[in-house]
Amino acid sequence: MNEWTQCVITPAVNDEGFASLAVPVYRASTIPFADAQAYATRRERGEEGYSYGLYGTPTSRTLEQKITQLHGGVRTLLAPSGQAAIALIMLQLLNQGDRVLIPDTVYPPVRDFADKDLTRLGIEARFYDPTDLAALTALIDDRTRLVWLESPGSTTMEVQDMSAIADLAHQRGALVGCDNTWASPLYFKPLRHGADIVVEALTKFFGGHSDVLMGSVTVKDPALATQIRAGLGRMGVGISPDDCALVLRGMETMALRMDHGARVARRLIERLQGHRLVRNILYPALPGSPGHELWKRDFNGASGVFSVVFTEAAAPHVGPALDVLKTFAIGASWGGTRSLAAPMPVRAARSVREWTEPDTVLRLSVGLEDEDDLATDIDLFLDYLEQRCNM
């Protein structure tokens, strides 16, 4: 064999007896077949078979199975981000003339997608108060194909009664989907409470290091998985095996990271509570927070993500006060090793129930830093607010 050819063709190496605790990274676009017959019958391999890298590798399938097991579903599919997962679900399940119901507290990019893209396709998106079952009941009609939930709600942390909403939706033949990114399957399993579809932004707690973007879609109906998978293939949506390896690595420490974040978050909340410039703490595990009783009934725990509402006097100074932080980083997202602070405007992202609190809410996400360093940051932040409000 010519040396040029030898450079291209890889010899088979005996791997008997070799094992690794790490999941191998299988990179492939083309998948070769043993013979012409195997290639001609490649579609007979089914959804679990391999025919082209776009439809999965052993690395991505390993990640899918781990997520499926955590959620108690039948199949998980991967998307380039959590937002992409939600958008792709809606594009695959909704047709012109259909209606989708979305909570008023939804992640703002989902609202933007519904208002612009779904409307352009002739799909009606209606927003509903996530805590008003009677109002939701009135919105569900024969055209409703999907009821979407985000529980807790983006920024303002309202917890929804998923079991009751699922019953309402299923009675009218609608599917139920849920964004479960705040809790992860460690603390809440939507499929056990009536949801048909659950999305995770793997970018956050699963990846855990703020260096990868990915989303997942887990379902409990195999036919639904087949429908969505086929649509992803038609749209050419594929996931890098290297990114899957990063998420698989992150999953191994997810439980420890989330446990630490929750414990430290509670201590920081205690520090913030009672301060004269803090109007409210939004955190499902906290008595008095929206949906606290539902959280106690349905969830196994709380993540380290919470929001702070300040007084009218302090709210205008929240943005500049972030510049005194030394340990918290300023940035969107959550779930990584670094604690994050993100000022979130709320009023413009509501259309059903008016937001009457000060517009800017500060969302905090606890990472892995020492509790005392984070507490010092909180004190610096509050001291700055005190100084500005006393001027």
Side-chain angles (χ1 to χ4, degrees), residues 334-368:
W334 66 69
T337 59
R338 286 295 303 274
S339 294
L340 296 174
M344 308 291 290
V346 176
R347 196 164 295 134
R350 298 287 188 271
S351 59
V352 177
R353 186 174 64 185
E354 183 182 4
W355 178 253
T356 58
E357 302 282 2
D359 189 33
T360 298
V361 172
L362 183 65
R363 190 181 67 203
L364 297 175
S365 165
V366 178
L368 293 182

Side-chain angles (χ1 to χ4, degrees), residues 23 87 97 125 239 269 279 320 347:
V23 178
I239 302 301
I269 288 171
R279 187 180 182 117
R347 196 164 295 134

Side-chain angles (χ1 to χ4, degrees), residues 186-200:
L186 295 180
Y187 294 155
F188 185 58
K189 301 185 189 299
L191 299 183
R192 293 184 180 177
H193 293 266
D196 303 288
I197 306 161
V198 56
V199 163
E200 301 284 351

